[in-house]
Amino acid sequence: MIDFETLARPGIRDLRAYDPGHDLISLRRRFAEAQLVELGSNENPYGASPLARQAVVDALASIHIYPDPLGGDLKRALAATHGVDTSRILLGNGSHELLMQFAQVFAGPGDDVVASKFGFAVYSLAAQAAGARLQPAPAHGRDHPMPRGHDLAALRAAIGPRTKLVYLANPNNPTGTWFGGEDFEAFLDDVPGNVIVVVDEAYAEFVDAPDYASALPLTARHRNLVVTRTFSKAYALAGLRVGFAIADPGLIAVMERVRESFNVNAVGLAAAEAALADTAHLQASLAGNAAQRAALAEALRARGLKVSPSQTNFLLVEFGANASRIEANLVARGVVLRPMVGYGLGECLRITVGTEDENRRLLEALDGSA
Ligand code: PMP
Protein backbone atom coordinates (compact mmCIF):
# COMPACT_ATOMS: atom_id res chain seq x y z
CA MET A 1 0.00 0.00 0.00
CA ILE A 2 1.37 3.40 -0.93
CA ASP A 3 0.46 6.17 1.50
CA PHE A 4 0.27 9.20 -0.76
CA GLU A 5 -0.34 11.46 2.23
CA THR A 6 3.16 10.81 3.55
CA LEU A 7 4.68 11.09 0.08
CA ALA A 8 3.25 14.59 -0.32
CA ARG A 9 5.24 17.59 1.01
CA PRO A 10 4.22 18.59 4.58
CA GLY A 11 2.37 21.74 3.46
CA ILE A 12 0.27 19.75 1.01
CA ARG A 13 -0.61 17.07 3.58
CA ASP A 14 -2.51 19.58 5.72
CA LEU A 15 -4.13 21.31 2.77
CA ARG A 16 -7.85 21.30 2.10
CA ALA A 17 -8.71 21.84 -1.56
CA TYR A 18 -10.56 25.05 -2.54
CA ASP A 19 -14.27 24.62 -1.89
CA PRO A 20 -16.21 25.74 -4.97
CA GLY A 21 -19.58 25.47 -3.18
CA HIS A 22 -22.46 23.28 -4.30
CA ASP A 23 -22.35 20.53 -6.93
CA LEU A 24 -23.98 22.75 -9.54
CA ILE A 25 -23.95 20.13 -12.28
CA SER A 26 -26.29 17.80 -10.42
CA LEU A 27 -28.42 20.69 -9.15
CA ARG A 28 -28.83 21.96 -12.72
CA ARG A 29 -29.93 18.48 -13.77
CA ARG A 30 -32.41 18.34 -10.89
CA PHE A 31 -33.92 21.74 -11.67
CA ALA A 32 -33.68 21.41 -15.45
CA GLU A 33 -37.21 22.61 -16.15
CA ALA A 34 -37.60 25.14 -13.38
CA GLN A 35 -34.19 26.77 -13.97
CA LEU A 36 -31.82 27.06 -11.09
CA VAL A 37 -31.12 30.57 -9.77
CA GLU A 38 -27.36 30.51 -9.37
CA LEU A 39 -26.19 33.21 -6.99
CA GLY A 40 -23.28 31.39 -5.40
CA SER A 41 -20.20 32.11 -7.50
CA ASN A 42 -20.18 35.86 -8.28
CA GLU A 43 -20.57 35.35 -11.99
CA ASN A 44 -21.94 38.04 -14.28
CA PRO A 45 -25.61 37.30 -15.02
CA TYR A 46 -25.69 39.59 -18.07
CA GLY A 47 -23.39 37.30 -20.04
CA ALA A 48 -20.37 37.94 -22.23
CA SER A 49 -20.08 40.62 -24.89
CA PRO A 50 -21.43 39.58 -28.32
CA LEU A 51 -18.02 40.58 -29.69
CA ALA A 52 -16.34 38.13 -27.31
CA ARG A 53 -18.76 35.37 -28.35
CA GLN A 54 -17.97 36.03 -32.00
CA ALA A 55 -14.25 35.94 -31.21
CA VAL A 56 -14.79 32.50 -29.64
CA VAL A 57 -16.47 31.25 -32.82
CA ASP A 58 -13.69 32.69 -34.98
CA ALA A 59 -11.00 31.16 -32.75
CA LEU A 60 -12.48 27.68 -33.17
CA ALA A 61 -10.97 27.46 -36.66
CA SER A 62 -7.49 27.33 -35.12
CA ILE A 63 -7.84 25.20 -32.00
CA HIS A 64 -5.73 22.44 -33.52
CA ILE A 65 -2.66 24.65 -33.10
CA TYR A 66 -1.11 25.91 -29.87
CA PRO A 67 -2.06 29.38 -28.67
CA ASP A 68 0.39 32.29 -28.74
CA PRO A 69 2.56 31.40 -25.72
CA LEU A 70 3.18 35.11 -25.08
CA GLY A 71 -0.44 36.20 -25.47
CA GLY A 72 0.95 39.17 -27.40
CA ASP A 73 -2.28 40.58 -28.82
CA LEU A 74 -4.09 40.49 -25.49
CA LYS A 75 -1.08 41.99 -23.70
CA ARG A 76 -0.93 44.86 -26.20
CA ALA A 77 -4.65 45.52 -25.75
CA LEU A 78 -4.27 45.46 -21.95
CA ALA A 79 -1.20 47.69 -22.16
CA ALA A 80 -3.17 50.27 -24.15
CA THR A 81 -6.17 50.06 -21.79
CA HIS A 82 -4.14 50.44 -18.60
CA GLY A 83 -1.39 52.72 -19.91
CA VAL A 84 1.49 50.36 -19.09
CA ASP A 85 4.22 48.63 -21.08
CA THR A 86 3.58 45.00 -22.08
CA SER A 87 6.66 43.99 -20.06
CA ARG A 88 4.63 44.81 -16.95
CA ILE A 89 1.86 42.30 -17.75
CA LEU A 90 1.61 38.62 -16.79
CA LEU A 91 -1.28 36.53 -18.11
CA GLY A 92 -2.86 33.75 -16.07
CA ASN A 93 -5.34 30.91 -16.46
CA GLY A 94 -7.66 32.99 -14.33
CA SER A 95 -6.18 35.18 -11.62
CA HIS A 96 -6.43 32.18 -9.26
CA GLU A 97 -3.47 30.59 -11.03
CA LEU A 98 -1.38 33.73 -10.58
CA LEU A 99 -2.32 34.12 -6.91
CA MET A 100 -1.04 30.56 -6.32
CA GLN A 101 2.17 31.22 -8.24
CA PHE A 102 3.15 34.38 -6.32
CA ALA A 103 3.48 32.24 -3.18
CA GLN A 104 5.26 29.49 -5.10
CA VAL A 105 7.84 31.99 -6.36
CA PHE A 106 8.29 34.29 -3.37
CA ALA A 107 7.52 32.24 -0.24
CA GLY A 108 8.54 28.83 1.09
CA PRO A 109 9.26 26.88 4.28
CA GLY A 110 10.24 29.24 7.09
CA ASP A 111 8.56 32.23 5.44
CA ASP A 112 5.39 34.05 6.45
CA VAL A 113 2.55 35.14 4.19
CA VAL A 114 0.22 37.79 5.62
CA ALA A 115 -3.47 38.11 4.75
CA SER A 116 -6.54 39.50 6.47
CA LYS A 117 -8.63 37.05 8.52
CA PHE A 118 -11.54 37.25 6.11
CA GLY A 119 -9.45 37.60 2.97
CA PHE A 120 -10.18 35.47 -0.12
CA ALA A 121 -9.69 31.74 0.62
CA VAL A 122 -7.06 31.23 -2.09
CA TYR A 123 -4.45 33.28 -0.17
CA SER A 124 -4.13 30.73 2.63
CA LEU A 125 -4.18 27.88 0.10
CA ALA A 126 -1.37 29.54 -1.84
CA ALA A 127 0.74 30.06 1.27
CA GLN A 128 0.28 26.51 2.52
CA ALA A 129 0.85 24.91 -0.86
CA ALA A 130 4.17 26.76 -1.08
CA GLY A 131 5.12 25.39 2.36
CA ALA A 132 4.99 28.87 3.93
CA ARG A 133 3.06 29.85 7.03
CA LEU A 134 -0.07 31.95 6.75
CA GLN A 135 -0.05 34.78 9.27
CA PRO A 136 -3.65 36.01 9.51
CA ALA A 137 -4.14 39.65 10.47
CA PRO A 138 -7.22 40.60 12.52
CA ALA A 139 -10.01 42.10 10.42
CA HIS A 140 -12.36 44.96 11.36
CA GLY A 141 -15.17 43.90 13.71
CA ARG A 142 -18.69 43.13 12.61
CA ASP A 143 -19.91 46.54 13.78
CA HIS A 144 -17.22 48.53 11.97
CA PRO A 145 -18.45 50.60 8.98
CA MET A 146 -16.56 48.03 6.86
CA PRO A 147 -17.68 44.88 8.72
CA ARG A 148 -14.95 42.21 8.75
CA GLY A 149 -13.04 44.26 6.17
CA HIS A 150 -9.28 44.60 5.85
CA ASP A 151 -7.68 46.49 8.75
CA LEU A 152 -4.59 48.00 7.12
CA ALA A 153 -2.97 48.86 10.48
CA ALA A 154 -3.39 45.25 11.63
CA LEU A 155 -2.02 43.98 8.34
CA ARG A 156 1.02 46.25 8.71
CA ALA A 157 1.52 45.04 12.29
CA ALA A 158 1.40 41.38 11.14
CA ILE A 159 4.34 41.95 8.78
CA GLY A 160 7.51 40.71 10.45
CA PRO A 161 11.08 39.79 9.50
CA ARG A 162 9.94 36.48 7.97
CA THR A 163 7.17 38.01 5.85
CA LYS A 164 7.73 37.60 2.12
CA LEU A 165 4.28 38.27 0.75
CA VAL A 166 1.06 40.10 1.67
CA TYR A 167 -2.27 39.43 -0.04
CA LEU A 168 -5.04 42.03 0.02
CA ALA A 169 -8.27 42.13 -1.94
CA ASN A 170 -9.84 45.47 -2.82
CA PRO A 171 -12.78 45.14 -2.81
CA ASN A 172 -12.64 41.94 -0.79
CA ASN A 173 -14.39 38.60 -1.26
CA PRO A 174 -16.33 37.44 0.76
CA THR A 175 -16.98 40.67 2.69
CA GLY A 176 -17.62 43.03 -0.25
CA THR A 177 -15.80 45.74 1.70
CA TRP A 178 -13.07 48.04 0.41
CA PHE A 179 -10.36 50.39 1.60
CA GLY A 180 -9.58 53.90 0.37
CA GLY A 181 -6.78 54.88 -1.98
CA GLU A 182 -5.06 57.27 0.43
CA ASP A 183 -5.08 54.73 3.26
CA PHE A 184 -3.57 52.11 0.99
CA GLU A 185 -0.82 54.45 -0.21
CA ALA A 186 0.14 55.20 3.39
CA PHE A 187 0.17 51.45 4.11
CA LEU A 188 2.34 50.72 1.09
CA ASP A 189 4.82 53.48 1.98
CA ASP A 190 5.25 51.79 5.36
CA VAL A 191 5.78 48.20 4.07
CA PRO A 192 9.44 47.14 3.68
CA GLY A 193 10.45 47.19 0.01
CA ASN A 194 11.45 43.51 0.00
CA VAL A 195 7.94 42.34 0.95
CA ILE A 196 5.79 41.64 -2.11
CA VAL A 197 2.33 43.20 -1.81
CA VAL A 198 -0.34 41.58 -3.99
CA VAL A 199 -3.54 43.59 -4.38
CA ASP A 200 -6.28 41.40 -5.84
CA GLU A 201 -8.67 43.65 -7.78
CA ALA A 202 -10.95 40.93 -9.18
CA TYR A 203 -14.01 43.14 -8.54
CA ALA A 204 -12.47 46.57 -9.23
CA GLU A 205 -14.65 47.34 -12.26
CA PHE A 206 -17.81 47.23 -10.12
CA VAL A 207 -16.63 49.97 -7.77
CA ASP A 208 -18.29 53.38 -7.69
CA ALA A 209 -17.27 54.58 -4.21
CA PRO A 210 -15.47 57.93 -4.49
CA ASP A 211 -12.84 57.08 -1.85
CA TYR A 212 -11.71 53.95 -3.73
CA ALA A 213 -8.63 54.02 -5.95
CA SER A 214 -7.15 51.15 -7.92
CA ALA A 215 -3.58 50.35 -6.93
CA LEU A 216 -2.63 50.01 -10.61
CA PRO A 217 -1.00 53.47 -11.00
CA LEU A 218 1.13 52.81 -7.90
CA THR A 219 2.88 49.87 -9.62
CA ALA A 220 4.96 52.46 -11.53
CA ARG A 221 6.54 53.72 -8.28
CA HIS A 222 6.43 50.69 -5.99
CA ARG A 223 8.51 47.83 -7.36
CA ASN A 224 7.18 45.41 -4.71
CA LEU A 225 3.52 45.98 -5.67
CA VAL A 226 1.51 43.56 -7.82
CA VAL A 227 -2.09 44.12 -8.93
CA THR A 228 -4.17 41.21 -10.22
CA ARG A 229 -7.31 41.50 -12.32
CA THR A 230 -9.64 39.01 -14.00
CA PHE A 231 -11.92 38.62 -17.01
CA SER A 232 -14.19 36.33 -14.93
CA LYS A 233 -16.37 38.95 -13.26
CA ALA A 234 -17.24 42.26 -14.97
CA TYR A 235 -16.17 40.88 -18.37
CA ALA A 236 -18.28 37.73 -17.86
CA LEU A 237 -15.72 35.20 -19.13
CA ALA A 238 -15.40 33.00 -16.02
CA GLY A 239 -15.65 29.83 -18.09
CA LEU A 240 -12.65 30.72 -20.23
CA ARG A 241 -10.19 31.37 -17.38
CA VAL A 242 -8.27 34.54 -18.18
CA GLY A 243 -6.66 36.80 -15.60
CA PHE A 244 -3.61 39.02 -15.45
CA ALA A 245 -1.17 40.77 -13.15
CA ILE A 246 0.56 44.12 -13.54
CA ALA A 247 3.85 44.79 -11.78
CA ASP A 248 7.48 45.76 -12.22
CA PRO A 249 9.04 44.14 -15.34
CA GLY A 250 11.69 42.44 -13.17
CA LEU A 251 9.05 40.83 -10.98
CA ILE A 252 7.08 39.73 -14.05
CA ALA A 253 10.23 38.23 -15.59
CA VAL A 254 10.81 36.07 -12.49
CA MET A 255 7.17 34.95 -12.50
CA GLU A 256 7.43 34.02 -16.19
CA ARG A 257 9.90 31.25 -15.24
CA VAL A 258 7.17 29.16 -13.61
CA ARG A 259 4.36 30.03 -16.02
CA GLU A 260 3.23 27.05 -18.07
CA SER A 261 4.02 28.16 -21.62
CA PHE A 262 0.47 27.85 -22.97
CA ASN A 263 -1.39 28.67 -19.75
CA VAL A 264 -4.02 30.81 -21.45
CA ASN A 265 -5.81 29.00 -24.25
CA ALA A 266 -6.44 30.41 -27.72
CA VAL A 267 -10.18 30.84 -27.25
CA GLY A 268 -9.68 32.68 -23.97
CA LEU A 269 -7.05 35.00 -25.43
CA ALA A 270 -9.30 35.95 -28.35
CA ALA A 271 -12.42 36.41 -26.22
CA ALA A 272 -10.65 38.52 -23.61
CA GLU A 273 -9.24 40.84 -26.25
CA ALA A 274 -12.68 41.28 -27.80
CA ALA A 275 -14.36 41.77 -24.41
CA LEU A 276 -11.86 44.47 -23.52
CA ALA A 277 -12.79 46.38 -26.67
CA ASP A 278 -16.54 46.25 -25.97
CA THR A 279 -16.73 49.04 -23.43
CA ALA A 280 -20.46 49.60 -24.07
CA HIS A 281 -21.24 46.01 -23.01
CA LEU A 282 -19.05 46.38 -19.92
CA GLN A 283 -20.77 49.63 -18.95
CA ALA A 284 -24.20 48.03 -19.35
CA SER A 285 -23.19 45.16 -17.01
CA LEU A 286 -21.79 47.58 -14.45
CA ALA A 287 -24.92 49.75 -14.53
CA GLY A 288 -27.16 46.68 -14.18
CA ASN A 289 -25.10 45.43 -11.25
CA ALA A 290 -25.05 48.80 -9.47
CA ALA A 291 -28.82 49.21 -9.72
CA GLN A 292 -29.57 45.62 -8.68
CA ARG A 293 -26.98 45.68 -5.89
CA ALA A 294 -28.70 48.69 -4.31
CA ALA A 295 -32.20 47.26 -4.81
CA LEU A 296 -31.30 43.82 -3.42
CA ALA A 297 -29.49 45.27 -0.41
CA GLU A 298 -32.51 47.44 0.35
CA ALA A 299 -34.94 44.51 -0.01
CA LEU A 300 -32.84 42.36 2.32
CA ARG A 301 -32.46 45.16 4.89
CA ALA A 302 -36.23 45.68 4.74
CA ARG A 303 -36.50 42.05 5.90
CA GLY A 304 -34.43 42.89 8.98
CA LEU A 305 -31.19 41.37 7.71
CA LYS A 306 -27.76 42.95 8.21
CA VAL A 307 -26.16 43.50 4.81
CA SER A 308 -22.51 44.56 4.58
CA PRO A 309 -21.71 47.50 2.33
CA SER A 310 -20.47 46.16 -0.99
CA GLN A 311 -18.60 47.54 -3.97
CA THR A 312 -18.70 44.18 -5.75
CA ASN A 313 -21.30 42.03 -7.51
CA PHE A 314 -22.26 40.22 -4.30
CA LEU A 315 -23.54 40.90 -0.79
CA LEU A 316 -22.48 39.35 2.49
CA VAL A 317 -25.61 38.98 4.59
CA GLU A 318 -26.06 37.97 8.24
CA PHE A 319 -28.84 35.41 8.65
CA GLY A 320 -27.95 34.46 12.24
CA ALA A 321 -28.17 31.02 13.77
CA ASN A 322 -30.60 29.77 11.10
CA ALA A 323 -28.30 30.57 8.17
CA SER A 324 -27.56 26.97 7.17
CA ARG A 325 -31.20 25.91 7.48
CA ILE A 326 -32.29 28.84 5.35
CA GLU A 327 -29.58 28.08 2.83
CA ALA A 328 -30.67 24.44 2.57
CA ASN A 329 -34.32 25.51 2.15
CA LEU A 330 -33.32 27.85 -0.65
CA VAL A 331 -31.41 25.10 -2.45
CA ALA A 332 -34.51 22.91 -2.19
CA ARG A 333 -36.38 25.75 -3.95
CA GLY A 334 -33.75 26.02 -6.66
CA VAL A 335 -31.86 29.07 -5.37
CA VAL A 336 -28.14 28.60 -4.77
CA LEU A 337 -26.22 30.93 -2.45
CA ARG A 338 -22.72 30.47 -1.00
CA PRO A 339 -22.44 29.13 2.56
CA MET A 340 -19.72 30.86 4.56
CA VAL A 341 -18.87 28.13 7.08
CA GLY A 342 -15.45 27.67 5.49
CA TYR A 343 -14.64 31.29 6.31
CA GLY A 344 -15.73 30.87 9.93
CA LEU A 345 -18.83 32.93 9.10
CA GLY A 346 -21.50 30.27 9.55
CA GLU A 347 -24.09 32.93 10.41
CA CYS A 348 -23.63 34.59 7.01
CA LEU A 349 -24.48 33.75 3.41
CA ARG A 350 -22.92 35.36 0.35
CA ILE A 351 -25.36 36.34 -2.37
CA THR A 352 -24.29 37.17 -5.91
CA VAL A 353 -26.30 40.11 -7.27
CA GLY A 354 -28.42 38.62 -10.03
CA THR A 355 -30.67 40.12 -12.66
CA GLU A 356 -33.88 41.78 -11.51
CA ASP A 357 -35.74 38.53 -12.21
CA GLU A 358 -33.23 36.33 -10.36
CA ASN A 359 -33.24 38.63 -7.33
CA ARG A 360 -37.05 38.59 -7.28
CA ARG A 361 -37.03 34.79 -7.32
CA LEU A 362 -34.48 34.77 -4.50
CA LEU A 363 -36.62 37.09 -2.37
CA GLU A 364 -39.76 35.04 -3.04
CA ALA A 365 -37.96 31.84 -2.04
CA LEU A 366 -36.61 33.55 1.04
CA ASP A 367 -40.04 34.79 2.08
CA GLY A 368 -41.44 31.30 1.54
CA SER A 369 -38.71 29.49 3.47
CA ALA A 370 -38.18 31.70 6.54
N1 PMP B 1 -9.84 36.94 -6.43
C1 PMP B 1 -11.03 37.06 -5.85
C2 PMP B 1 -11.20 38.03 -4.75
C3 PMP B 1 -12.11 36.24 -6.28
O1 PMP B 1 -13.30 36.34 -5.68
C4 PMP B 1 -11.90 35.33 -7.34
C5 PMP B 1 -13.00 34.43 -7.86
N2 PMP B 1 -13.95 34.03 -7.00
C6 PMP B 1 -10.62 35.24 -7.88
C7 PMP B 1 -9.62 36.06 -7.42
C8 PMP B 1 -10.28 34.24 -8.95
O2 PMP B 1 -10.91 34.51 -10.12
P1 PMP B 1 -10.42 33.92 -11.50
O3 PMP B 1 -9.45 32.81 -11.23
O4 PMP B 1 -11.66 33.45 -12.16
O5 PMP B 1 -9.75 35.07 -12.20
Side-chain angles (χ1 to χ4, degrees):
M1 276 286 280
I2 307 173
D3 181 359
F4 294 106
E5 289 293 330
T6 55
L7 287 180
R9 282 195 291 106
I12 307 290
R13 265 177 239 161
D14 304 329
L15 210 55
R16 260 205 341 217
Y18 179 74
D19 173 12
H22 284 282
D23 176 3
L24 291 167
I25 307 301
S26 37
L27 279 174
R28 276 177 207 143
R29 230 173 267 140
R30 200 171 117 203
F31 286 90
E33 294 294 320
Q35 281 265 323
L36 201 59
V37 180
E38 298 186 23
L39 303 176
S41 298
N42 302 341
E43 289 137 341
N44 182 334
Y46 303 102
S49 148
L51 301 185
R53 292 175 199 223
Q54 186 57 48
V56 168
V57 174
D58 296 344
L60 293 180
S62 310
I63 56 172
H64 58 293
I65 57 175
Y66 282 104
D68 174 5
L70 301 176
D73 288 343
L74 177 57
K75 275 192 189 169
R76 279 184 287 277
L78 284 168
T81 301
H82 294 292
V84 297
D85 192 80
T86 51
S87 62
R88 293 181 164 272
I89 303 174
L90 175 72
L91 299 180
N93 190 258
S95 57
H96 189 143
E97 178 187 54
L98 299 178
L99 293 169
M100 296 296 289
Q101 282 176 1
F102 289 120
Q104 191 189 325
V105 169
F106 292 107
D111 297 331
D112 280 355
V113 173
V114 168
S116 187
K117 180 162 184 233
F118 299 115
F120 182 43
V122 165
Y123 312 150
S124 58
L125 261 179
Q128 275 184 274
R133 188 176 65 156
L134 183 83
Q135 190 68 258
H140 289 313
R142 71 178 281 264
D143 294 321
H144 188 274
M146 292 292 158
R148 307 177 182 90
H150 287 15
D151 178 341
L152 294 177
L155 279 156
R156 174 62 190 91
I159 297 172
R162 289 165 176 265
T163 305
K164 291 288 173 64
L165 194 59
V166 182
Y167 288 106
L168 305 92
N170 199 25
N172 182 47
N173 176 15
T175 57
T177 52
W178 66 100
F179 47 82
E182 283 178 24
D183 291 345
F184 177 69
E185 234 179 297
F187 165 85
L188 193 59
D189 282 338
D190 200 28
V191 172
N194 58 354
V195 175
I196 307 291
V197 177
V198 178
V199 181
D200 175 350
E201 295 189 353
Y203 299 93
E205 294 87 356
F206 296 111
V207 174
D208 50 26
D211 65 326
Y212 176 90
S214 166
L216 271 177
L218 300 177
T219 56
R221 278 191 285 123
H222 293 268
R223 300 193 62 209
N224 58 332
L225 174 65
V226 183
V227 176
T228 60
R229 293 279 185 104
T230 182
F231 281 91
S232 300
K233 307 295 176 184
Y235 289 98
L237 296 176
L240 291 180
R241 318 298 307 123
V242 189
F244 62 98
I246 292 184
D248 181 85
L251 188 153
I252 299 292
V254 172
M255 288 289 294
E256 281 285 352
R257 295 179 195 161
V258 298
R259 186 180 65 82
E260 188 269 305
S261 32
F262 303 106
N263 62 332
V264 185
N265 69 76
V267 179
L269 287 172
E273 191 186 346
L276 199 58
D278 195 347
T279 49
H281 186 82
L282 172 69
Q283 291 309 323
S285 276
L286 300 184
N289 180 68
Q292 290 308 315
R293 181 174 68 199
L296 182 60
E298 195 185 305
L300 292 166
R301 287 188 183 118
R303 284 160 173 80
L305 297 166
K306 185 165 189 253
V307 182
S308 286
S310 169
Q311 283 289 296
T312 62
N313 66 342
F314 61 85
L315 300 170
L316 185 69
V317 184
E318 278 186 31
F319 284 84
N322 290 332
S324 61
R325 187 178 56 78
I326 292 170
E327 198 271 336
N329 285 343
L330 289 173
V331 173
R333 290 163 192 262
V335 178
V336 180
L337 307 183
R338 180 61 73 93
M340 288 284 108
V341 182
Y343 279 94
L345 293 170
E347 73 282 15
C348 295
L349 299 173
R350 196 193 65 195
I351 307 176
T352 303
V353 177
T355 61
E356 190 174 2
D357 183 54
E358 288 173 322
N359 297 339
R360 184 184 46 74
R361 289 176 61 193
L362 158 69
L363 293 168
E364 282 170 8
L366 205 52
D367 292 342
S369 70

